[in-house]
């Protein structure tokens, strides 16, 4: 049985449903309805739910009288807990010309810092509602997509050879028809999103983009300059390919990168980590990283080991020396997989050039 789509997330969707005669049973998420008072007064809204929708007082009285549930917008909040859509880089970095501190992304992080330990159940409820709404929007966005996760460290500088390799990987995976999903932050994550963004462009676009980015190789000491360089690339190559970034305000020192076309940003890092890996059904690529990437390897391996998500998703570790000597995760992963269904779904390769073919062979 196909579940009907009862969510309304834009004003255009609202108008289409009203034209059909009834809003009964629909969930309207964060749509500004101040100019739709007549439609609300004239339309059946019984059993509807309005989440964070601005509306005139007489419209609110009427829909409540119909039996609708109305959750009003929360004032003075730097984010929308009821949002129905993923973030875009333009949205999170609004105000960047005045400095990163003026952007919605920085303001949401500041609010999180103020409230994460204050014991206020209202604040924790708002974070939970927001993260659940983001998960719902992410599932809708990725429906039917073949998603490959690309994991790697945030410290990788834009001028490094590894950064270029990660970008080439993101480009190759996108051109093969896969949707690239990363942790959404700087370093290797940004590089993979950059490659996906430049997938529709000629190959020569990547060296030019890297040259533009080189003027701000890291988000430290200035997130503002780092982000502005990324938007310079987006302006130079405006018709970019899509990918997904899944960052978190938990790591406030890591800003989101501007090359993911859609951004699912969370407050709860555990929800974000598990969600990123669970949605990477076409496989996960692990570039050289440190503690965070190491954690992601075994977060991915655990459901593959137990089969809790069905058929094991492919796992490809890139960098033989890194994963056998510097951080010897590969020997443990191979021992864990021995004799189980996941054994044929793990691989260790020397370079990113091998990844696409290895993934294809395990699909």
């Amino acid at each position: 049985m196909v579940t009907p789509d009862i969510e309304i997330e834009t004003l255009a969707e609202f108008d289409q449903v009203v034209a059909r005669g009834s809003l009964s049973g629909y969930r309207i998420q964060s749509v500004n309805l101040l100019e739709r008072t007549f439609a609300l007064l004239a339309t059946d809204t019984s059993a509807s739910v309005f989440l964070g929708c601005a509306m005139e007082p007489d419209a609110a009285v009427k829909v409540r009288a119909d039996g609708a549930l109305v959750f009003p917008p929360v004032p003075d909040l730097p984010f929308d807990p009821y949002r129905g859509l993923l973030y875009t880089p333009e949205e999170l970095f609004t105000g960047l010309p005045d400095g990163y501190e003026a952007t919605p992304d920085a303001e949401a992080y500041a609010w999180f810092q103020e409230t994460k330990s204050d014991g206020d159940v209202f604040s924790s409820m708002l974070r939970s509602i927001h993260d659940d709404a983001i998960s719902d929007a992410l599932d809708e966005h990725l429906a039917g997509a073949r998603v490959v996760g690309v994991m790697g460290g945030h410290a990788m500088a834009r001028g490094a050879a590894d950064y270029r390799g990660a970008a080439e990987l993101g480009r190759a995976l996108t051109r093969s028809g896969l949707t690239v999903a990363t942790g959404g932050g700087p370093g290797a994550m940004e590089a993979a999103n950059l490659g996906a963004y430049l997938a529709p462009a000629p190959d020569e676009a990547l060296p030019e983009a890297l040259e533009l980015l080189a003027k701000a190789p890291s988000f430290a000491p200035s997130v503002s300059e780092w982000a502005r360089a990324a938007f310079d690339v987006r302006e130079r190559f405006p018709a970019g390919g899509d990918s997904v970034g899944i960052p978190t305000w938990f790591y406030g020192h890591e800003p989101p990168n501007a090359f993911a076309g859609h951004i699912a940003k969370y407050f709860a890092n555990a929800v974000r980590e598990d969600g990123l890996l669970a949605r990477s059904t076409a496989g996960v690529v692990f570039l050289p990283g440190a503690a965070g990437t190491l954690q992601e390897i075994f977060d991915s391996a655990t459901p593959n080991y137990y089969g809790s998500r069905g058929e094991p998703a492919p796992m490809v570790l890139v960098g033989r020396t890194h994963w056998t000597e510097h951080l010897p995760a590969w020997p443990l992963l191979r021992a864990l997989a021995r004799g189980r269904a996941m054994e044929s779904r793990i691989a260790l390769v020397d370079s990113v050039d091998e990844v696409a073919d290895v993934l294809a062979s395990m699909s």
Side-chain angles (χ1 to χ4, degrees):
M1 179 178 177
V2 178
T3 303
D5 183 5
I6 60 171
E7 295 178 3
I8 296 174
E9 295 148 344
T10 67
L11 197 57
E13 289 178 330
F14 176 87
D15 291 340
Q16 290 171 4
V17 174
V18 167
R20 295 199 292 266
S22 176
L23 286 164
S24 179
Y26 278 86
R27 282 79 171 102
I28 302 91
Q29 287 181 254
S30 192
V31 180
N32 188 330
L33 301 176
L34 290 173
E35 297 184 0
R36 294 297 186 272
T37 299
F38 178 78
L40 292 169
L41 293 176
T43 306
D44 178 17
T45 58
S46 60
S48 298
V49 180
F50 292 84
L51 299 167
C53 298
M55 63 181 78
E56 295 292 350
D58 52 345
V61 169
K62 183 267 180 186
V63 299
R64 286 192 174 99
D66 277 353
L69 289 175
V70 179
F71 295 80
V74 181
D76 303 321
L77 200 63
F79 63 94
D80 179 3
Y82 304 114
R83 61 180 303 118
L85 302 172
L86 298 178
Y87 293 100
T88 65
E90 294 86 351
E91 180 182 1
L92 287 176
F93 285 103
T94 298
L96 182 63
D98 297 324
Y100 172 70
E101 295 74 15
T103 66
D105 185 67
E107 290 173 352
Y109 174 63
W111 177 88
F112 180 43
Q113 288 295 98
E114 293 173 1
T115 63
K116 66 180 181 180
S117 302
D118 65 4
D120 185 353
V121 66
F122 184 55
S123 297
S124 61
M125 182 190 74
L126 291 173
R127 293 194 296 269
S128 297
I129 291 172
H130 170 274
D131 286 1
D132 187 70
I134 287 294
S135 291
D136 181 66
L138 185 59
D139 285 337
E140 292 176 359
H141 178 72
L142 293 177
R146 296 171 59 229
V147 181
V148 58
V150 180
M151 313 297 162
H154 70 270
M156 187 183 290
R158 284 169 167 172
D162 285 350
Y163 184 96
R164 177 170 184 151
E168 291 172 344
L169 172 64
R171 183 176 63 183
L173 293 172
T174 302
R175 288 177 175 176
S176 73
L178 296 169
T179 296
V180 169
T182 77
M189 297 171 280
E190 180 189 56
N193 288 128
L194 168 66
Y197 183 84
L198 294 176
D203 287 355
E204 304 79 50
L206 180 56
E208 186 174 345
L210 293 174
E211 185 175 349
L212 289 170
L213 293 172
K215 61 186 179 182
S218 173
F219 61 94
S222 174
V223 175
S224 301
E225 293 304 315
W226 175 84
R228 287 178 188 134
F231 280 98
D232 286 346
V233 171
R234 290 174 57 94
E235 184 176 352
R236 174 67 183 86
F237 303 101
D242 191 28
S243 65
V244 174
I246 308 180
T248 174
W249 280 294
F250 182 81
Y251 295 132
H253 64 289
E254 291 186 19
N257 77 72
F259 295 114
H262 292 83
I263 299 174
K265 190 153 192 180
Y266 288 86
F267 288 104
N269 186 51
V271 176
R272 166 252 192 178
E273 288 273 10
D274 186 68
L276 170 56
L277 295 169
R279 291 173 175 88
S280 299
T281 53
V284 187
V285 180
F286 299 93
L287 299 171
T293 309
L294 193 64
Q295 176 182 338
E296 288 162 346
I297 289 174
F298 291 101
D299 281 347
S300 183
T302 300
N304 284 348
Y305 179 87
Y306 289 110
S308 55
R309 292 180 184 149
E311 187 176 355
M315 298 175 63
V316 182
L317 278 60
V318 180
R320 192 174 301 272
T321 299
H322 184 82
W323 294 121
T324 60
E325 297 179 19
H326 296 161
L327 292 174
W330 174 251
L332 178 55
L333 180 63
R334 187 172 56 178
L336 194 67
R338 190 172 297 121
R340 307 188 77 88
M342 66 181 287
E343 187 172 15
S344 63
R345 294 299 186 92
I346 63 171
L348 175 67
V349 299
D350 289 309
S351 73
V352 294
D353 297 335
E354 304 170 68
V355 171
D357 288 342
V358 170
L359 273 177
S361 71
M362 291 193 288
S363 297

